[in-house]
Amino acid sequence: MRILFAILVAAVAWPAFAQTPEWIWHGETNATTVYFRKAFRSPPLLWNSRLTVSADDEAEVFLNGVSIARCTDWRRPSRSEVTVRLNQGDNVIAVKAQVKEGANSARGLLVHLNLGGEINLVSDGTWLTSATEELGWAKLDFNAAHWKSAKSLGQHGIEPWGDVLFRPGATAPENITVPEGFKVELLRSAEPAEGSWICMAFDDRGRIIVSPQGESRSLLRLTLGTDKVESVEKIEAPISYAMGLLQAFDSLYVNGIGPRGSGLYRLIDANKNDRYETNELHFLKGFKGGSEHGYHALALGPDKKIYVLNGNGTKLPEGISPKSPYRNYAEDALTGARGDDLPGTKAPNCHVLRTDAEGKEWELFAGGMRNAYDMDFNADGELFTFDSDNEWDWGVPWYRPTRVIHLVSGGDAGWRDGTRMWAEDYSGAVPTVANVGIGSPTGVKFARGENFPPKFRRALFLQDWSYGRILAVHLTESGASYTGQVEKFLEGAPLNVTSLSFGPEGAMYFTTGGRGTQSGLYRVSYTGEKQRDVFPVDPAAKQAREERRKLEAMHSGATRNDLDFILPRMFGNDSAIRYAARVAIESAPLENWTPRALQTVGLTPLLVLARIGSAEDQAAVLKRVRNFRMPSLSEARRLAKLRVIQVSLARHGVVAKPETDALVSELIDFLPRASEAVKRESMRVLLHVKAPGAVTQAVRYLQESQSGEEQLFYIELLRNVKDGWTLADREKFFAWFLPGNQKARGKEVAQYFADVKRSYVDGASYDGYLRDFRRQAIATLSPEERKALEPLLAKPIAQAQLVPGRTREFVRDWKVEDLLAELGKPRQRDFSRGRQAFVDAQCLMCHRFGNDGGMSGPELTGAGSKYSERDLLESMLEPSKVVSDQYQDHTVFLKDGEVFTGKLISDSEKEVVIEVDRVAGTKEKVPKANVEQIRPATLSPMPSGLVNVLTKEEILDLVSYLRSGVAEPSR
């Protein structure tokens, strides 16, 4: 086949290999509208033919008479895939180019059409041109013999246009899919000096405020024209790196970094000159914590309060009202250690604060999330957010997917770090509105105005940075809360979406960017027929919300007079109202309500007493909960009963045996009839109270489990149990860690991968959990047990495959510019060679790709949805150019002069823990009193020069392999 193809190429005058396109124009006239044509024959076996066109000022391109591309700004070349439009044989490409009225004297056209492999058609002096439009001029059968040859102005790269073909640019609208009737426009592709945009908001004059990522980048103000950004100006006030922007109270509120560090600032244009000078910046509240999991969004509530969203990397600031709606929070988990020794972050984790316009009074409104980035109020005045998952935990039983959360007063969404995660059915947490799946949540906004059709006019739109998409959530009223259905609205690749808003006219605007990637500002409009709509009001749902809000008004401190309203609502069927009633009753003194509540038949008062009562109250709680017999309860109430017991044990410890014996007996008797969920939660209790036979029962469930998630659940429960073991049970437990003894994983989370068209892969933490659980279990062994189990403990455990690399010789000290010109050229890449390059360059030691690899760097299977080829190339060759704070090293300077650099694991009042070897997991612990200073490292933990052992083609194969997301290589 290759010989035949070579003969065909030799027989036909194909365009020359690697020919450089030239800027061309009409040679004898200054006409503002010029027509061009170029006839050519296409090669056989066409595949992946791509067109790139740039024009000063604009051009429309036709292929065989059909319009295929339009360029409206020479700085943003139009790129299109045109294979399906090409004939086998004769073709003609035709272009109508125009100079706008009043434009400068520069004019030109540049075309590059790749016809597959190394065959290109480019603009040059052989093209024909005319200043007159003639009938059928763009069609193949048009006779252009009387047209003149185009004038070449010079090869690509000449001034004033420069390296336009390889100039960074945002993804073209043609590569973004939207529902029928919608149009996507790219209004601006950010210039290099404008940074990578992560947040946007409209001001009171319809302009867009944009914040680039990084402390050295000023806020930008973009003035919109009809189809592009007319002007970009810097805001003078010294504030940057905002992830929350809000125009309210004649001010611009910024959750970012200013003269007093990270926190909430207020910009007031006191002299009305529209500039925001330095002296117009007011500091309202400081927030300590990492940026990507730190200070986040701002929203104006219907109560005219400012709501502030901060991620789980942000510490709760001082000065929070003790009467805040969200209080009395704790880990409430029967797992691992307790107190200050708990790993990871602790409640309230990601949280919402509420304050007034001047930032004087502060309340903690809601919490218990991981790292929600944005939030918005709907037409009913209800607040929603899109919370992130922990992708490191894919495939473990405590994984929670990205999800939509209704942020109610005092709401706890139940996210706890690692194995302390609350199950979705735990009472004491607000129910999830909709589980979305895997992803990286960014912007959140409800549709505004009448621009969109009725189906989307009240939708909640969510941005997913990792997988380049915007989702629409259609909410349905469900009592005093909502449920939601999720559908994909918009998608592109790469489309690293970061922020979202709706303009005054009702169109959707969104930005792309983040972590140094290319940014763009887009507009999405509905072009179909406008439709009137009527949204019916559900009287029952409206009444339920009003009832819930009346309860929420009592969250700052319910009085004795409020009890007649609160208590009956603790026992209804509406979970949102029960939740609001529970938070209200927790704000009242115990003596005001305990006697009455304990006379009622309900589990909610017992949960309240378990949460805020004393250790002396625990006996009463456990005694009363025995009245709720497991066989007579519904599934939900069985789990609610178990949750009351767990919270009581977690907060107050294990009480004397008489109070627990009856509970233990009931739970053991019911286990044979229990559902999997009830069985799991029962075993938490039984192992925690050291029930006789509980260890043997858990080991049996471990062996009978049908999935890897179930097995790991019991491994996690048993890892710290010291008593109650037989040697046979110990052997079964430790044998599970050996290769081949674990059931398949992913069954419980594979559904969350389907929407992004990815196969399930293990989370990067899985291997770490296995090592830690085994190590912790070994620490519980007696010397006699350790000796008896020594042959078993000496065997290697199952781990992710670290494919052995091949020894390589140095090839070249590669620079980005050495390979940049090769990017984007359509050529079939070799994924098998790309994967081997991934291994040989030691990438797999730190990065997960598919089910293989390390855990110390970002997971890369989905990298192609958010990173361009250039982004990936730069990250390989210049790893320290952009370093996410999630993977940034820190340097710890000790008072005796010793220095450690690595991943900062914890920084408490007692000690600092730093991981000095990410691959081996080696840690150094030093007393905090010995620490002189801790500073973020300027260099990436990824060494430079790793790809210097690869050839050019191998590096390009590696880039394509990573963008493909194909874990199993094929040619």
Side-chain angles (χ1 to χ4, degrees):
M1 179 63 73
R2 290 185 177 178
I3 296 174
L4 175 60
F5 184 74
I7 295 172
L8 288 170
V9 170
V12 182
W14 303 119
F17 165 63
Q19 189 174 358
T20 303
E22 299 173 6
W23 285 93
I24 58 175
W25 198 251
H26 195 279
E28 298 180 1
T29 179
N30 290 324
T32 56
T33 301
V34 181
Y35 304 87
F36 298 91
R37 282 174 56 92
K38 178 65 176 180
F40 62 96
R41 286 182 58 81
S42 63
L45 307 176
L46 280 173
W47 57 274
N48 203 18
S49 298
R50 296 183 183 181
L51 171 76
T52 303
V53 58
S54 177
D56 195 352
D57 290 307
E58 61 182 41
E60 183 175 10
V61 185
F62 301 84
L63 184 57
N64 299 321
V66 177
S67 178
I68 58 169
R70 183 184 297 273
C71 176
T72 58
D73 186 338
W74 64 266
R75 290 163 293 199
R76 300 199 302 252
S78 173
R79 293 178 171 87
S80 306
E81 216 289 344
V82 299
T83 305
V84 296
R85 295 290 183 187
L86 284 165
N87 298 326
Q88 288 290 336
D90 293 331
N91 295 268
V92 66
I93 187 168
V95 183
K96 178 182 179 181
Q98 294 178 284
V99 178
K100 296 178 182 177
E101 185 176 352
N104 58 35
S105 58
R107 56 195 66 192
L109 172 70
L110 186 80
V111 179
H112 182 280
L113 174 61
N114 181 271
L115 294 170
E118 299 172 349
I119 302 175
N120 304 292
L121 175 74
V122 299
S123 52
D124 58 19
T126 66
W127 283 47
L128 300 178
T129 181
S130 173
T132 304
E133 183 175 14
E134 300 176 56
L135 184 65
W137 69 274
K139 295 183 177 180
L140 182 60
D141 58 1
F142 177 76
N143 185 356
H146 58 291
W147 284 29
K148 297 183 178 180
S149 297
K151 178 180 179 181
S152 174
L153 306 176
Q155 288 189 337
H156 166 252
I158 64 168
E159 295 301 328
W161 303 291
D163 190 14
V164 66
L165 287 183
F166 307 112
R167 182 188 300 271
T171 297
E174 306 91 76
N175 296 326
I176 300 173
T177 59
V178 287
E180 185 177 355
F182 286 89
K183 176 180 71 173
V184 182
E185 301 169 89
L186 175 59
L187 302 180
R188 184 175 183 83
S189 190
E191 296 293 329
E194 294 168 355
S196 189
W197 300 341
I198 56 172
C199 186
M200 66 168 289
F202 278 89
D203 70 6
D204 52 3
R205 291 170 56 177
R207 299 169 298 186
I208 294 177
I209 310 298
V210 167
S211 174
Q213 190 170 19
E215 295 184 39
S216 62
R217 302 284 190 177
S218 301
L219 299 182
L220 304 175
R221 185 160 56 195
L222 281 55
T223 301
L224 298 174
T226 303
D227 59 357
K228 66 178 182 179
V229 173
E230 294 288 356
S231 65
V232 179
E233 54 186 320
K234 291 183 179 180
I235 290 179
E236 294 185 9
I239 188 163
S240 60
Y241 211 160
M243 282 181 273
L245 293 166
L246 173 67
Q247 181 74 40
F249 306 114
D250 296 321
S251 308
L252 177 64
Y253 291 86
V254 183
N255 206 10
I257 297 179
R260 295 181 61 178
S262 58
L264 182 62
Y265 292 81
R266 183 183 187 183
L267 285 165
I268 301 176
D269 185 18
N271 60 10
K272 306 299 181 184
N273 68 350
D274 199 30
R275 293 178 60 183
Y276 291 132
E277 283 89 359
T278 299
N279 60 358
E280 295 178 328
L281 182 66
H282 302 266
F283 180 69
L284 302 185
K285 178 66 75 173
F287 303 131
K288 295 180 180 179
S291 56
E292 287 192 11
H293 283 234
Y295 57 91
H296 288 327
L298 304 174
L300 181 64
D303 54 1
K304 302 303 179 185
K305 296 290 185 68
I306 296 173
Y307 288 71
V308 183
L309 176 63
N310 288 333
N312 64 312
T314 309
K315 296 179 180 178
L316 198 64
E318 297 179 354
I320 302 301
S321 171
K323 294 185 177 181
S324 294
Y326 183 52
R327 55 186 186 270
N328 305 322
Y329 48 82
E331 296 301 290
D332 289 334
L334 297 185
T335 181
R338 297 181 68 239
D340 293 336
D341 294 330
L342 289 172
T345 61
K346 291 181 277 294
N349 291 305
C350 175
H351 55 269
V352 178
L353 301 167
R354 180 169 63 186
T355 189
D356 54 86
E358 289 76 33
K360 294 180 179 179
E361 302 293 332
W362 287 83
E363 296 176 295
L364 182 57
F365 178 75
M369 296 162 287
R370 182 178 185 247
N371 187 41
Y373 187 78
D374 199 2
M375 59 185 172
D376 196 23
F377 287 91
N378 72 355
D380 298 325
E382 303 288 342
L383 186 60
F384 292 81
T385 192
F386 183 25
D387 195 21
S388 64
D389 65 346
N390 185 352
E391 68 275 13
W392 291 46
D393 282 354
W394 291 338
V396 300
W398 46 91
Y399 170 75
R400 296 292 298 272
T402 65
R403 54 196 173 125
V404 179
I405 298 170
H406 183 191
L407 292 170
V408 296
S409 175
D412 189 324
W415 191 88
R416 298 297 187 269
D417 211 343
T419 60
R420 304 191 300 279
M421 180 73 71
W422 291 9
E424 191 165 349
D425 48 24
Y426 276 7
S427 55
V430 293
T432 296
V433 173
N435 282 320
V436 177
I438 64 173
S440 181
T442 46
V444 173
K445 284 294 180 294
F446 281 95
R448 298 284 194 272
E450 302 295 315
N451 181 271
F452 279 18
K455 178 183 178 181
F456 295 103
R457 204 165 289 170
R458 288 198 170 188
L460 172 62
F461 290 94
L462 314 173
Q463 289 184 317
D464 177 3
W465 186 77
S466 283
Y467 294 101
R469 55 183 182 160
I470 297 179
L471 307 172
V473 183
H474 305 286
L475 298 177
T476 301
E477 294 170 312
S478 177
S481 188
Y482 303 78
T483 59
Q485 294 294 321
V486 184
E487 72 167 307
K488 189 187 304 176
F489 174 75
L490 178 151
E491 185 177 35
L495 199 68
N496 40 333
V497 289
T498 54
S499 192
L500 173 67
S501 191
F502 281 82
E505 83 288 11
M508 174 193 286
Y509 293 79
F510 70 89
T511 58
T512 58
R515 295 188 182 175
T517 57
Q518 175 63 46
S519 288
L521 172 66
Y522 297 83
R523 177 169 59 203
V524 182
S525 306
Y526 182 63
T527 59
E529 183 179 349
K530 302 298 181 185
Q531 305 171 43
R532 298 181 62 85
D533 60 326
V534 177
F535 294 103
V537 176
D538 182 344
K542 182 179 180 181
Q543 181 180 349
R545 286 196 302 274
E546 290 173 351
E547 201 169 301
R548 193 197 82 230
R549 289 170 181 170
K550 187 174 181 180
L551 289 165
E552 290 173 348
M554 305 171 186
H555 286 180
S556 61
T559 66
R560 190 184 297 271
N561 295 333
D562 296 323
L563 296 182
D564 288 339
F565 184 80
I566 298 172
L567 286 174
R569 286 158 180 82
M570 298 177 73
F571 311 106
N573 294 324
D574 191 319
S575 62
I577 290 178
R578 286 202 311 272
Y579 191 98
R582 177 182 65 73
V583 177
I585 205 74
E586 286 186 3
S587 70
L590 276 172
E591 62 272 14
N592 284 1
W593 63 268
T594 305
R596 285 181 59 184
L598 291 181
Q599 293 173 5
T600 61
V601 182
L603 288 164
T604 303
L606 296 179
L607 179 61
V608 175
L609 198 56
R611 283 168 52 86
I612 67 173
S614 64
E616 288 72 26
D617 296 316
Q618 188 184 22
V621 171
L622 297 181
K623 183 178 180 180
R624 291 287 298 178
V625 83
R626 282 158 46 192
N627 294 335
F628 298 87
R629 306 298 297 171
M630 294 294 275
S632 63
L633 299 177
S634 66
E635 178 77 357
R637 285 169 65 79
R638 288 168 186 161
L639 292 169
K641 171 179 176 173
L642 288 165
R643 190 60 183 151
V644 170
I645 299 169
Q646 291 172 4
V647 172
S648 180
L649 295 173
R651 296 210 178 197
H652 306 299
V654 180
V655 297
K657 274 187 171 295
E659 281 75 22
T660 58
D661 281 349
L663 283 174
V664 166
S665 177
E666 181 192 15
L667 295 182
I668 290 177
D669 288 345
F670 190 71
L671 280 176
R673 291 172 284 169
S675 66
E676 182 60 36
V678 170
K679 186 195 306 180
R680 288 186 183 191
E681 300 309 321
S682 296
M683 290 309 303
R684 288 190 196 276
V685 174
L686 294 172
L687 288 170
H688 191 79
V689 300
K690 302 180 181 179
V695 170
T696 297
Q697 185 82 296
V699 172
R700 186 167 80 247
Y701 288 154
L702 167 65
Q703 293 193 299
E704 294 174 354
S705 296
Q706 297 303 305
S707 73
E709 286 88 352
E710 284 183 27
Q711 289 185 319
L712 191 59
F713 174 84
Y714 292 107
I715 288 291
E716 189 274 324
L717 283 189
L718 289 163
R719 62 189 164 115
N720 285 321
V721 176
K722 187 173 183 179
D723 303 316
W725 291 89
T726 66
L727 185 61
D729 287 338
R730 287 288 198 189
E731 290 175 342
K732 293 172 184 175
F733 176 88
F734 285 107
W736 178 86
F737 289 88
L738 303 181
N741 291 351
Q742 298 158 24
K743 294 286 177 63
R745 301 183 298 278
K747 292 181 180 179
E748 296 185 13
V749 297
Q751 57 180 314
Y752 302 131
F753 287 72
D755 287 342
V756 294
K757 299 177 182 177
R758 276 189 56 182
S759 299
Y760 167 77
V761 295
D762 292 331
S765 287
Y766 188 85
D767 294 333
Y769 283 128
L770 259 59
R771 290 196 300 267
D772 289 344
F773 292 169
R774 186 172 181 269
R775 174 179 51 79
Q776 291 161 5
I778 290 173
T780 67
L781 296 175
S782 68
E784 294 78 16
E785 288 174 319
R786 190 184 293 260
K787 184 176 181 181
L789 296 169
E790 187 175 352
L792 181 59
L793 299 180
K795 296 180 180 180
I797 68 174
Q799 294 280 276
Q801 296 297 310
L802 293 179
V803 182
R806 300 179 302 190
T807 303
R808 295 288 199 114
E809 299 293 331
F810 176 83
V811 174
R812 180 175 173 178
D813 184 12
W814 291 105
K815 306 297 181 186
V816 173
E817 52 268 24
D818 297 333
L819 298 142
L820 200 57
E822 300 297 323
L823 298 183
K825 287 186 177 181
R827 178 172 177 178
Q828 190 171 9
R829 306 304 324 182
D830 187 334
F831 285 179
S832 295
R833 190 165 60 181
R835 176 172 173 75
Q836 190 62 51
F838 188 68
V839 173
D840 292 349
Q842 303 179 49
C843 307
L844 206 62
M845 294 291 292
C846 299
H847 298 280
R848 200 82 161 195
F849 195 85
N851 281 323
D852 297 335
M855 56 180 285
S856 58
E859 194 267 348
L860 294 178
T861 318
S865 299
K866 58 196 173 206
Y867 296 122
S868 67
E869 291 180 326
R870 181 176 183 139
D871 294 330
L872 291 171
L873 181 65
E874 287 182 343
S875 68
M876 295 175 193
L877 301 181
E878 301 174 359
S880 296
K881 182 177 181 180
V882 178
V883 182
S884 165
D885 61 16
Q886 298 304 299
Y887 302 97
Q888 187 174 37
D889 276 344
H890 283 73
T891 301
V892 178
F893 298 88
L894 303 186
K895 293 178 180 178
D896 62 5
E898 195 170 4
V899 177
F900 296 106
T901 296
K903 180 182 179 181
L904 187 63
I905 303 298
S906 66
D907 179 9
S908 67
E909 295 180 359
K910 296 181 180 179
E911 67 178 6
V912 173
V913 181
I914 192 163
E915 189 176 59
V916 294
D917 187 331
R918 294 187 182 225
V919 177
T922 307
K923 300 179 180 67
E924 290 285 349
K925 298 182 179 180
V926 294
K928 188 62 177 283
N930 296 347
V931 176
E932 179 75 32
Q933 186 182 21
I934 302 175
R935 287 205 308 252
T938 57
L939 295 178
S940 168
M942 174 180 165
S944 60
L946 291 179
V947 297
N948 289 344
V949 296
L950 304 177
T951 66
K952 176 189 287 190
E953 292 302 316
E954 287 173 327
I955 295 174
L956 295 172
D957 287 337
L958 172 55
V959 170
S960 295
Y961 172 63
L962 293 177
R963 287 213 69 209
S964 73
V966 178
E968 294 300 323
S970 61
R971 292 187 69 93

